[in-house]
Amino acid sequence: MERNDGLPAGPPPGSSRADGSVDLLAFADWVSSDQKARATAEAEEERTYVAFVLDREEYGLPVGSVREVLRVGELTRVPQAPPHIRGVTNVRGSILPVVEIRTRIGLDPLDPGPAARVVVLEIGERALGLLVDRVTRVAKVRLSEIEPPPAEVVTARTDYVVGVAKRSDGLLILLDPGRTLVVKGEEIEMKREEKK
């Protein structure tokens, strides 16, 4: 139980030793450990996501995996590129692969308009861009608002959906950055069969 002055209930440690001395270090540890515990609990209550729109749905990626958001520049197609690669673009002298995230999740390719953006992800040592319809906001989501994705929508091909945040302004579908960029082998095989 917490007291109204913000300190934990009960006597502080080291305040009444048998020899009459006072352990000031134990008291300082008691105060600082309680503050750290409260700060950690508060930090765990919220997560921050970069929210973007694909078609009419809003998706979120953890802000820690997003390096920057760019306007869509010139995209150069790459022959024999893996499925869902829209092309590459030059970002300040570095070549960035750009993924057509819409086709990755089963939507039609995007015809980029002025609101379209490339969300640059950093996963390990790699950087990739995701082409999205538009970026809407940076959203803070309380852990209590996040629910697991419905069992009906989770398959081997959709394991990149890791949760759904129910908010007063609508649903935010939460994506795992790494899983979103992995295309299962069977999906590649299906695409090869379609081309034959």
Side-chain angles (χ1 to χ4, degrees):
M1 182 175 163
E2 195 172 285
R3 304 173 348 174
N4 61 6
D5 58 5
L7 294 174
S15 58
S16 56
R17 294 171 71 171
D19 63 358
S21 63
V22 176
D23 188 345
L24 298 177
L25 293 176
F27 178 79
D29 289 343
W30 175 70
V31 171
S32 66
S33 68
D34 182 63
Q35 288 174 343
K36 287 176 186 171
R38 280 189 283 134
T40 301
E42 287 170 9
E44 289 173 351
E45 287 180 5
E46 284 188 337
R47 292 187 180 159
T48 307
Y49 295 88
V50 174
F52 58 90
V53 171
L54 299 174
D55 203 11
R56 292 180 297 277
E57 303 295 336
E58 193 172 32
Y59 296 82
L61 286 163
V63 73
S65 64
V66 177
R67 185 169 77 188
E68 59 185 316
V69 176
L70 305 170
R71 292 185 183 277
V72 180
E74 184 179 342
L75 296 176
T76 304
R77 296 273 184 183
V78 179
Q80 309 285 325
H84 311 296
I85 294 293
R86 180 68 179 253
V88 295
T89 189
N90 186 335
V91 179
R92 295 181 295 277
S94 296
I95 301 300
L96 179 75
V98 176
V99 176
E100 177 72 79
I101 189 68
R102 288 173 58 99
T103 60
R104 170 68 181 98
I105 66 169
L107 299 172
D108 291 331
L110 178 66
D111 181 14
R117 294 290 183 269
V118 173
V119 177
V120 181
L121 295 181
E122 268 190 354
I123 301 174
E125 300 296 315
R126 302 181 187 97
L128 291 105
L130 300 184
L131 182 62
V132 303
D133 297 21
R134 70 181 191 276
V135 171
T136 53
R137 59 195 162 130
V138 173
K140 288 189 181 288
V141 178
R142 299 182 73 82
L143 289 181
S144 59
E145 297 174 323
I146 300 175
E147 294 187 6
E152 306 81 49
V153 302
V154 178
T155 68
R157 292 189 200 163
T158 60
D159 65 349
Y160 50 81
V161 177
V162 293
V164 178
K166 293 184 173 180
R167 301 166 55 82
S168 59
D169 53 356
L171 298 179
L172 181 64
I173 301 166
L174 307 177
L175 304 179
D176 179 287
R179 292 184 198 165
T180 302
L181 297 169
V182 174
V183 180
K184 304 295 183 194
E186 62 188 59
E187 186 175 337
I188 294 172
E189 289 303 319
M190 285 178 62
K191 290 198 173 293
R192 286 182 184 151
E193 289 298 320
E194 288 170 6
K195 288 179 181 177
K196 287 181 181 177

